[in-house]
Amino acid sequence: MSEGLKSVEYGLDKIFEGAQDFLPILGTDYVEFYVGNAKQAAHYYKTAFGFQSDAYCGLETGVRDRASYVIKQDKIRLVLTTALNSDSPIGEHVKKHGDGVKVVALWVEDARLSYEETIKRGAKSFMEPVATKDEHGEVVQAGIYAYGETVFMFTERKNYKGVFMPGYVKWETDYNPAPVGLKFIDHMVGNVGWDQMNVWVKWFEDVMGFVNFLSFDDKQITTEYSALMSKVMANGNGRIKFPINEPAEGKKKSQIEEYLDFYEGEGVQHIAVATDDIIKTVADMKSRGVEFLSTPPQAYYDAIPDRLKDHMSKFKEDIKELQKLGIMIDADEEGYLLQIFTKPVEDRPTLFFEIIQRMGARGFGAGNFKALFESIEREQEKRGTL
Ligand code: TYF
Ligand code: FE
């Protein structure tokens, strides 16, 4: 049994017992992208990913330096923000990193306390607590730096009844493509530099009170060509999960190194979103133009019944149909999971999305790593970055 799966054997209660409760997190509040053209990005995520228009701020609402579009799908909220002039830090961020995730907002009961507790434990400040108010109430926010230039924002909204937050108006539009069944954010993965994974594991432990609940070393995550290491950090209730990847030496360039080169630093590599009908969700997204990584080979699908063993009786999906869409299947002690990965959603090979359906499994698809990384390498090959 691999080191990574050991913690799963301990069972539900034990995994998170080392987690601290000084930072209770209710959920992911929103993820904010800094982009070159927020109007077009919002259109893409509505059209291709099935998000719904929610809120807006920009010139029309009296904001002079930026425009932000808030879009929603079930519990997932994305904010697409762009600069309106050349001396904006938003523009600087886009110039350096391309489009990418700037802010991961965590929904908390008390933003001031979350800020104090994490700063006390060594967090670097991005924004001191600020309360914004309108006729619908008050939102309090405070932010700390995580890896690279990525920010974790504590968002307190218990005294707010309006759309999104003060400063935004409801985004009214006649263009409302249907949702594709995306429900909530399952995990968000960060890529960090050489020898930095354990630095960030310690940061999550010390500053955030998280625990390391799964680990994958470079022996497990390796193909003929490249390797990486990964550790999953989780909060006390296990609902917030931040895996951290570090490149490892291989014969050729690790996909993590490719990311670090093109993002010009550390940052969010992928956002995994959950669905409860992956076949429908992925078929829908494909028909709307989302590009997914290429399908694993026939041998991968031939091995599925063996891999699922005990879970085969519970397995409801049609393997042929999963194969047609390129969806991968993995199992652990507790159940199975179905997952698939998009190609990068920008021109730089940086951020991508994962669509995941958990059928009891709490792992990350370790059994799929080889097939997945080979598929990523086929893309690296085309880009000349392998
Ligand atoms: O989040 C995870 O761990 C899985 C697998 O570069 C994975 O989705 C790990 C590393 C990576 C891509 C996917
Ligand atoms: Fe993932």
Side-chain angles (χ1 to χ4, degrees), residues 187 189 228 230 243 245 255-256 269-270 339 341 352 354 364 369 372-373:
H187 59 275
V189 183
L228 61 86
S230 189
N245 297 332
Q255 51 164 305
I256 308 306
Q269 176 214 35
H270 75 265
Q339 63 184 173
F341 297 82
F352 58 86
E354 170 183 353
F364 287 78
F369 284 177
L372 166 64
F373 298 145

PDB file of all heavy atoms in Angstrom, residues 187 189 228 230 243 245 255-256 269-270 339 341 352 354 364 369 372-373, ligand 1:
ATOM      1  N   HIS A 187     -11.865  20.853  -5.066  1.00  0.00           N
ATOM      2  CA  HIS A 187     -10.522  21.219  -4.583  1.00  0.00           C
ATOM      3  C   HIS A 187      -9.875  22.182  -5.561  1.00  0.00           C
ATOM      4  O   HIS A 187     -10.319  22.319  -6.696  1.00  0.00           O
ATOM      5  CB  HIS A 187      -9.637  19.978  -4.374  1.00  0.00           C
ATOM      6  CG  HIS A 187      -9.407  19.127  -5.590  1.00  0.00           C
ATOM      7  ND1 HIS A 187     -10.288  18.149  -5.990  1.00  0.00           N
ATOM      8  CD2 HIS A 187      -8.394  19.107  -6.503  1.00  0.00           C
ATOM      9  CE1 HIS A 187      -9.821  17.547  -7.083  1.00  0.00           C
ATOM     10  NE2 HIS A 187      -8.672  18.125  -7.430  1.00  0.00           N
ATOM     11  N   VAL A 189      -5.904  23.324  -6.794  1.00  0.00           N
ATOM     12  CA  VAL A 189      -4.523  22.865  -6.696  1.00  0.00           C
ATOM     13  C   VAL A 189      -3.545  23.991  -6.997  1.00  0.00           C
ATOM     14  O   VAL A 189      -3.728  24.756  -7.950  1.00  0.00           O
ATOM     15  CB  VAL A 189      -4.282  21.698  -7.681  1.00  0.00           C
ATOM     16  CG1 VAL A 189      -2.870  21.150  -7.547  1.00  0.00           C
ATOM     17  CG2 VAL A 189      -5.313  20.598  -7.448  1.00  0.00           C
ATOM     18  N   LEU A 228       6.299  14.375 -10.746  1.00  0.00           N
ATOM     19  CA  LEU A 228       5.947  15.453  -9.839  1.00  0.00           C
ATOM     20  C   LEU A 228       5.608  14.865  -8.487  1.00  0.00           C
ATOM     21  O   LEU A 228       5.463  13.656  -8.338  1.00  0.00           O
ATOM     22  CB  LEU A 228       4.783  16.282 -10.396  1.00  0.00           C
ATOM     23  CG  LEU A 228       3.431  15.614 -10.659  1.00  0.00           C
ATOM     24  CD1 LEU A 228       2.571  15.594  -9.419  1.00  0.00           C
ATOM     25  CD2 LEU A 228       2.702  16.376 -11.738  1.00  0.00           C
ATOM     26  N   SER A 230       3.064  15.546  -4.913  1.00  0.00           N
ATOM     27  CA  SER A 230       1.834  16.247  -4.556  1.00  0.00           C
ATOM     28  C   SER A 230       1.418  15.901  -3.128  1.00  0.00           C
ATOM     29  O   SER A 230       1.492  14.737  -2.727  1.00  0.00           O
ATOM     30  CB  SER A 230       0.730  15.842  -5.541  1.00  0.00           C
ATOM     31  OG  SER A 230      -0.406  16.638  -5.353  1.00  0.00           O
ATOM     32  N   PRO A 243      -4.571  20.690  -2.698  1.00  0.00           N
ATOM     33  CA  PRO A 243      -3.353  19.936  -3.032  1.00  0.00           C
ATOM     34  C   PRO A 243      -2.258  20.898  -3.511  1.00  0.00           C
ATOM     35  O   PRO A 243      -2.552  21.960  -4.062  1.00  0.00           O
ATOM     36  CB  PRO A 243      -3.802  19.022  -4.178  1.00  0.00           C
ATOM     37  CG  PRO A 243      -5.294  18.962  -4.069  1.00  0.00           C
ATOM     38  CD  PRO A 243      -5.697  20.317  -3.553  1.00  0.00           C
ATOM     39  N   ASN A 245       1.405  20.880  -5.694  1.00  0.00           N
ATOM     40  CA  ASN A 245       2.319  20.129  -6.566  1.00  0.00           C
ATOM     41  C   ASN A 245       3.677  20.790  -6.641  1.00  0.00           C
ATOM     42  O   ASN A 245       3.777  22.012  -6.691  1.00  0.00           O
ATOM     43  CB  ASN A 245       1.813  20.107  -8.015  1.00  0.00           C
ATOM     44  CG  ASN A 245       0.489  19.396  -8.186  1.00  0.00           C
ATOM     45  OD1 ASN A 245       0.153  18.503  -7.432  1.00  0.00           O
ATOM     46  ND2 ASN A 245      -0.257  19.815  -9.195  1.00  0.00           N
ATOM     47  N   GLN A 255       5.310  18.755 -16.253  1.00  0.00           N
ATOM     48  CA  GLN A 255       4.204  19.690 -16.543  1.00  0.00           C
ATOM     49  C   GLN A 255       4.171  20.824 -15.512  1.00  0.00           C
ATOM     50  O   GLN A 255       3.710  21.922 -15.816  1.00  0.00           O
ATOM     51  CB  GLN A 255       2.871  18.939 -16.546  1.00  0.00           C
ATOM     52  CG  GLN A 255       2.705  18.106 -15.292  1.00  0.00           C
ATOM     53  CD  GLN A 255       1.297  17.651 -15.032  1.00  0.00           C
ATOM     54  OE1 GLN A 255       0.385  18.450 -14.963  1.00  0.00           O
ATOM     55  NE2 GLN A 255       1.141  16.357 -14.876  1.00  0.00           N
ATOM     56  N   ILE A 256       4.651  20.558 -14.300  1.00  0.00           N
ATOM     57  CA  ILE A 256       4.639  21.599 -13.269  1.00  0.00           C
ATOM     58  C   ILE A 256       5.659  22.694 -13.622  1.00  0.00           C
ATOM     59  O   ILE A 256       5.409  23.887 -13.450  1.00  0.00           O
ATOM     60  CB  ILE A 256       4.958  21.007 -11.868  1.00  0.00           C
ATOM     61  CG1 ILE A 256       4.051  19.809 -11.557  1.00  0.00           C
ATOM     62  CG2 ILE A 256       4.834  22.081 -10.776  1.00  0.00           C
ATOM     63  CD1 ILE A 256       2.565  20.074 -11.689  1.00  0.00           C
ATOM     64  N   GLN A 269      -3.130  25.870 -10.298  1.00  0.00           N
ATOM     65  CA  GLN A 269      -2.987  25.053 -11.499  1.00  0.00           C
ATOM     66  C   GLN A 269      -4.324  24.550 -12.024  1.00  0.00           C
ATOM     67  O   GLN A 269      -4.583  24.582 -13.208  1.00  0.00           O
ATOM     68  CB  GLN A 269      -2.108  23.830 -11.187  1.00  0.00           C
ATOM     69  CG  GLN A 269      -1.964  22.862 -12.349  1.00  0.00           C
ATOM     70  CD  GLN A 269      -1.862  21.417 -11.898  1.00  0.00           C
ATOM     71  OE1 GLN A 269      -2.480  21.010 -10.910  1.00  0.00           O
ATOM     72  NE2 GLN A 269      -1.072  20.640 -12.603  1.00  0.00           N
ATOM     73  N   HIS A 270      -5.156  23.999 -11.100  1.00  0.00           N
ATOM     74  CA  HIS A 270      -6.476  23.581 -11.580  1.00  0.00           C
ATOM     75  C   HIS A 270      -7.538  23.727 -10.512  1.00  0.00           C
ATOM     76  O   HIS A 270      -7.244  23.727  -9.319  1.00  0.00           O
ATOM     77  CB  HIS A 270      -6.454  22.182 -12.217  1.00  0.00           C
ATOM     78  CG  HIS A 270      -6.365  20.993 -11.313  1.00  0.00           C
ATOM     79  ND1 HIS A 270      -5.177  20.380 -10.994  1.00  0.00           N
ATOM     80  CD2 HIS A 270      -7.327  20.265 -10.692  1.00  0.00           C
ATOM     81  CE1 HIS A 270      -5.415  19.314 -10.225  1.00  0.00           C
ATOM     82  NE2 HIS A 270      -6.716  19.240 -10.023  1.00  0.00           N
ATOM     83  N   GLN A 339     -13.489  11.213 -13.358  1.00  0.00           N
ATOM     84  CA  GLN A 339     -12.894  12.535 -13.524  1.00  0.00           C
ATOM     85  C   GLN A 339     -12.397  12.737 -14.957  1.00  0.00           C
ATOM     86  O   GLN A 339     -12.105  11.785 -15.681  1.00  0.00           O
ATOM     87  CB  GLN A 339     -11.754  12.773 -12.529  1.00  0.00           C
ATOM     88  CG  GLN A 339     -10.603  11.835 -12.705  1.00  0.00           C
ATOM     89  CD  GLN A 339      -9.480  11.969 -11.669  1.00  0.00           C
ATOM     90  OE1 GLN A 339      -8.574  11.162 -11.663  1.00  0.00           O
ATOM     91  NE2 GLN A 339      -9.513  12.959 -10.800  1.00  0.00           N
ATOM     92  N   PHE A 341     -10.204  16.074 -17.399  1.00  0.00           N
ATOM     93  CA  PHE A 341      -9.503  17.355 -17.308  1.00  0.00           C
ATOM     94  C   PHE A 341      -9.618  18.127 -18.614  1.00  0.00           C
ATOM     95  O   PHE A 341      -9.490  17.538 -19.699  1.00  0.00           O
ATOM     96  CB  PHE A 341      -8.028  17.106 -16.975  1.00  0.00           C
ATOM     97  CG  PHE A 341      -7.848  16.447 -15.636  1.00  0.00           C
ATOM     98  CD1 PHE A 341      -7.984  15.075 -15.487  1.00  0.00           C
ATOM     99  CD2 PHE A 341      -7.587  17.209 -14.504  1.00  0.00           C
ATOM    100  CE1 PHE A 341      -7.854  14.465 -14.243  1.00  0.00           C
ATOM    101  CE2 PHE A 341      -7.450  16.614 -13.254  1.00  0.00           C
ATOM    102  CZ  PHE A 341      -7.583  15.241 -13.127  1.00  0.00           C
ATOM    103  N   PHE A 352      -6.162  25.016 -15.759  1.00  0.00           N
ATOM    104  CA  PHE A 352      -7.183  24.176 -16.400  1.00  0.00           C
ATOM    105  C   PHE A 352      -8.221  23.761 -15.362  1.00  0.00           C
ATOM    106  O   PHE A 352      -8.082  24.066 -14.172  1.00  0.00           O
ATOM    107  CB  PHE A 352      -6.536  22.960 -17.085  1.00  0.00           C
ATOM    108  CG  PHE A 352      -5.727  22.067 -16.178  1.00  0.00           C
ATOM    109  CD1 PHE A 352      -6.323  21.053 -15.452  1.00  0.00           C
ATOM    110  CD2 PHE A 352      -4.339  22.242 -16.060  1.00  0.00           C
ATOM    111  CE1 PHE A 352      -5.564  20.223 -14.613  1.00  0.00           C
ATOM    112  CE2 PHE A 352      -3.573  21.414 -15.230  1.00  0.00           C
ATOM    113  CZ  PHE A 352      -4.189  20.408 -14.512  1.00  0.00           C
ATOM    114  N   GLU A 354     -10.860  20.602 -13.786  1.00  0.00           N
ATOM    115  CA  GLU A 354     -11.148  19.171 -13.645  1.00  0.00           C
ATOM    116  C   GLU A 354     -12.636  19.059 -13.358  1.00  0.00           C
ATOM    117  O   GLU A 354     -13.172  19.851 -12.579  1.00  0.00           O
ATOM    118  CB  GLU A 354     -10.333  18.612 -12.460  1.00  0.00           C
ATOM    119  CG  GLU A 354     -10.719  17.190 -12.046  1.00  0.00           C
ATOM    120  CD  GLU A 354      -9.935  16.713 -10.806  1.00  0.00           C
ATOM    121  OE1 GLU A 354      -9.004  17.420 -10.351  1.00  0.00           O
ATOM    122  OE2 GLU A 354     -10.274  15.633 -10.296  1.00  0.00           O
ATOM    123  N   PHE A 364      -7.861  11.251  -5.010  1.00  0.00           N
ATOM    124  CA  PHE A 364      -7.724  12.219  -6.098  1.00  0.00           C
ATOM    125  C   PHE A 364      -7.480  11.546  -7.438  1.00  0.00           C
ATOM    126  O   PHE A 364      -7.053  12.172  -8.389  1.00  0.00           O
ATOM    127  CB  PHE A 364      -6.625  13.231  -5.754  1.00  0.00           C
ATOM    128  CG  PHE A 364      -7.094  14.180  -4.694  1.00  0.00           C
ATOM    129  CD1 PHE A 364      -7.122  13.797  -3.362  1.00  0.00           C
ATOM    130  CD2 PHE A 364      -7.589  15.427  -5.035  1.00  0.00           C
ATOM    131  CE1 PHE A 364      -7.616  14.640  -2.385  1.00  0.00           C
ATOM    132  CE2 PHE A 364      -8.084  16.279  -4.067  1.00  0.00           C
ATOM    133  CZ  PHE A 364      -8.097  15.895  -2.733  1.00  0.00           C
ATOM    134  N   PHE A 369      -3.311   8.698 -12.536  1.00  0.00           N
ATOM    135  CA  PHE A 369      -2.211   9.643 -12.743  1.00  0.00           C
ATOM    136  C   PHE A 369      -1.402   9.340 -13.997  1.00  0.00           C
ATOM    137  O   PHE A 369      -1.095  10.229 -14.781  1.00  0.00           O
ATOM    138  CB  PHE A 369      -1.282   9.673 -11.519  1.00  0.00           C
ATOM    139  CG  PHE A 369      -1.843  10.432 -10.337  1.00  0.00           C
ATOM    140  CD1 PHE A 369      -1.143  10.504  -9.138  1.00  0.00           C
ATOM    141  CD2 PHE A 369      -3.070  11.075 -10.420  1.00  0.00           C
ATOM    142  CE1 PHE A 369      -1.651  11.206  -8.048  1.00  0.00           C
ATOM    143  CE2 PHE A 369      -3.597  11.775  -9.334  1.00  0.00           C
ATOM    144  CZ  PHE A 369      -2.883  11.836  -8.143  1.00  0.00           C
ATOM    145  N   LEU A 372      -3.331  10.094 -17.134  1.00  0.00           N
ATOM    146  CA  LEU A 372      -3.538  11.544 -17.195  1.00  0.00           C
ATOM    147  C   LEU A 372      -2.260  12.265 -17.616  1.00  0.00           C
ATOM    148  O   LEU A 372      -2.270  13.126 -18.493  1.00  0.00           O
ATOM    149  CB  LEU A 372      -4.002  12.041 -15.826  1.00  0.00           C
ATOM    150  CG  LEU A 372      -3.957  13.543 -15.584  1.00  0.00           C
ATOM    151  CD1 LEU A 372      -4.914  14.264 -16.537  1.00  0.00           C
ATOM    152  CD2 LEU A 372      -4.334  13.868 -14.140  1.00  0.00           C
ATOM    153  N   PHE A 373      -1.152  11.905 -16.979  1.00  0.00           N
ATOM    154  CA  PHE A 373       0.090  12.629 -17.274  1.00  0.00           C
ATOM    155  C   PHE A 373       0.600  12.319 -18.672  1.00  0.00           C
ATOM    156  O   PHE A 373       1.207  13.167 -19.318  1.00  0.00           O
ATOM    157  CB  PHE A 373       1.141  12.370 -16.191  1.00  0.00           C
ATOM    158  CG  PHE A 373       0.677  12.851 -14.842  1.00  0.00           C
ATOM    159  CD1 PHE A 373       1.010  12.188 -13.677  1.00  0.00           C
ATOM    160  CD2 PHE A 373      -0.134  13.979 -14.737  1.00  0.00           C
ATOM    161  CE1 PHE A 373       0.547  12.629 -12.440  1.00  0.00           C
ATOM    162  CE2 PHE A 373      -0.594  14.425 -13.512  1.00  0.00           C
ATOM    163  CZ  PHE A 373      -0.256  13.748 -12.350  1.00  0.00           C
TER     164      PHE A 373
HETATM  165  O1  TYF B   1      -5.829  17.127  -7.868  1.00  0.00           O
HETATM  166  C1  TYF B   1      -5.253  16.096  -8.106  1.00  0.00           C
HETATM  167  O2  TYF B   1      -4.380  15.658  -7.356  1.00  0.00           O
HETATM  168  C2  TYF B   1      -5.668  15.281  -9.315  1.00  0.00           C
HETATM  169  C3  TYF B   1      -4.547  14.808 -10.145  1.00  0.00           C
HETATM  170  O3  TYF B   1      -0.653  18.108 -12.322  1.00  0.00           O
HETATM  171  C4  TYF B   1      -3.577  15.769 -10.685  1.00  0.00           C
HETATM  172  O4  TYF B   1      -6.577  16.009 -10.048  1.00  0.00           O
HETATM  173  C5  TYF B   1      -2.403  15.991 -10.019  1.00  0.00           C
HETATM  174  C6  TYF B   1      -1.428  16.770 -10.574  1.00  0.00           C
HETATM  175  C7  TYF B   1      -1.625  17.365 -11.795  1.00  0.00           C
HETATM  176  C8  TYF B   1      -2.824  17.189 -12.470  1.00  0.00           C
HETATM  177  C9  TYF B   1      -3.797  16.405 -11.894  1.00  0.00           C
END
